[in-house]
Amino acid sequence: MSATAELIHRPEGSDGGSQLGHPATGELDLSHGVALYLENITVSFDGFRALNKLNLAIDDGELRCIIGPNGAGKTTMMDVITGKTRPDRGKAFFGQTIDLTRLTEAEIAHAGIGRKFQKPTIFEQHTVFENLELAMKADKRVWKTLFAWLSGDERDRIADTLRQIRLDREADRPAGLLSHGQKQWLEIGMLLVQEPKLLLLDEPVAGMTDDETMRTAELFVSLAGKHSLVVVEHDMAFVEKLGGKVTVLHEGSVLAEGSLASVQNDQRVIEVYLGR
Ligand SMILES: Nc1ncnc2c1ncn2[C@@H]1O[C@H](COP(=O)(O)OP(=O)(O)OP(=O)(O)O)[C@@H](O)[C@H]1O
Ligand SMILES: [Mg+2]
């Protein structure tokens, strides 16, 4: 079977997500293309299964939320996608052809998967603008020395990103002086200047004010379409504002998938997560 044919094959145990536009025929809707495809991913740590036959398919341009109790395997799933953790078994494809299980972490980043960790890793003594400039120059596709001048296009891209992350007025301030939320946005901007196809965001609004949380939701909604986003979050007001399809992980597999309203009404989800 060709890689494409395998990808069209619907993984067992998936409900097809029929409420949100997928045909209920048991096949993936390929009209948008698949950005990320995980099938039967299993990861064990000393015999404990952190991921257990996990299936997940993310469309091009989709904004997907992943929720679930502590220890469900959400971060481990991101570790598998980014090559930090190798699965014991299962398939992981980026697009239809890139086999993530065969690439190094650096190759995966280069292929267009950007990941934001919880703790921002910005350069505090540099200005906001310089942080974006350094991130752009660290991108191997750009291949510039740190001392090279930026082209007009690159300056424009940084200016656009500054507006997107609402830091255009802070461009010349040292990043260390930003609020916690602004630092998180700057780190997202540092990913965006590298123009990733897929962005993975693990608890991006932890520690943010309510206002910052809602602004972050607006930012993510505006990024969808151009990028695919996979967002892990516990904050349900934020998940609701994002408005995308929600996948509930529990004990390393998908427990439920669909609109937020549908998973919130799912008795199994209430028992293991929302009802706590
Ligand atoms: N490197 C590791 N070695 C051993 N066990 C691990 C390792 N990484 C994760 N685990 C275990 O795997 C399980 C899943 O962890 P993971 O961090 O993926 O959960 P999570 O869904 O991200 O939880 P949280 O909501 O608390 O962030 C947990 O029981 C965790 O203790
Ligand atoms: Mg986690």
Side-chain angles (χ1 to χ4, degrees):
M1 195 161 41
S2 73
T4 308
E6 285 180 69
L7 287 170
I8 292 168
H9 170 72
R10 188 77 197 168
E12 339 151 28
S14 164
D15 68 5
S18 49
Q19 298 111 311
L20 283 139
H22 284 157
T25 53
E27 293 201 341
L28 280 176
D29 176 3
L30 291 180
S31 59
H32 306 287
V34 178
L36 178 73
Y37 183 85
L38 305 181
E39 184 180 314
N40 272 322
I41 292 286
T42 297
V43 170
S44 304
F45 296 115
D46 302 322
F48 169 77
R49 285 199 171 185
L51 294 179
N52 189 9
K53 298 183 181 167
L54 175 70
N55 295 316
L56 187 79
I58 307 292
D59 285 340
D60 278 337
E62 185 180 349
L63 169 51
R64 176 73 62 92
C65 276
I66 312 285
I67 64 172
N70 298 116
K74 304 179 297 294
T75 299
T76 305
M77 180 189 81
M78 291 194 166
D79 291 342
V80 168
I81 297 166
T82 54
K84 190 173 172 211
T85 297
R86 293 288 170 203
D88 306 328
R89 24 178 327 229
K91 292 178 192 163
F93 276 86
F94 179 43
Q96 303 225 344
T97 53
I98 301 174
D99 182 349
L100 294 171
T101 64
R102 291 169 184 268
L103 300 184
T104 64
E105 282 187 80
E107 287 167 339
I108 290 171
H110 189 198
I113 298 183
R115 177 181 193 176
K116 188 189 169 314
F117 291 91
Q118 206 168 314
K119 194 173 171 294
T121 48
I122 58 174
F123 304 102
E124 304 242 333
Q125 42 319 15
H126 285 276
T127 68
V128 168
F129 187 96
E130 286 164 349
N131 269 273
L132 294 176
E133 182 178 356
L134 289 166
M136 189 180 265
K137 287 173 175 172
D139 181 351
K140 296 289 182 295
R141 292 167 307 171
V142 176
W143 200 251
K144 286 213 167 181
T145 72
L146 291 179
F147 302 104
W149 295 102
L150 289 172
S151 71
D153 279 356
E154 287 164 343
R155 286 199 163 271
D156 289 348
R157 203 155 99 215
I158 292 179
D160 288 345
T161 305
L162 282 167
R163 276 190 293 274
Q164 254 180 324
I165 60 175
R166 296 175 192 261
L167 292 179
D168 39 333
R169 289 205 229 142
E170 322 290 333
D172 298 323
R173 289 182 75 200
L177 299 180
L178 298 177
S179 74
H180 170 76
Q182 289 174 321
K183 286 179 183 172
Q184 303 279 356
W185 293 340
L186 176 56
E187 204 189 4
I188 292 165
M190 291 167 75
L191 294 173
L192 290 176
V193 293
Q194 302 196 357
E195 302 185 310
K197 291 190 200 94
L198 172 65
L199 270 166
L200 306 175
L201 303 127
D202 201 351
E203 305 195 26
V205 300
M208 282 192 185
T209 65
D210 288 350
D211 185 54
E212 287 171 338
T213 297
M214 287 304 130
R215 284 166 185 262
T216 304
E218 286 164 16
L219 170 64
F220 288 3
V221 168
S222 76
L223 294 175
K226 184 163 181 234
H227 310 264
S228 303
L229 291 91
V230 175
V231 184
V232 167
E233 244 319 319
H234 290 286
D235 181 331
M236 285 304 128
F238 176 70
V239 172
E240 184 171 16
K241 179 99 177 169
L242 291 179
K245 187 164 158 183
V246 176
T247 298
V248 185
L249 287 200
H250 176 54
E251 295 179 347
S253 353
V254 174
L255 180 68
E257 202 164 83
S259 67
L260 179 61
S262 77
V263 302
Q264 277 177 326
N265 286 315
D266 186 318
Q267 202 52 43
R268 296 165 308 165
V269 177
I270 294 167
E271 266 161 37
V272 305
Y273 185 50
L274 297 171
R276 291 172 314 167

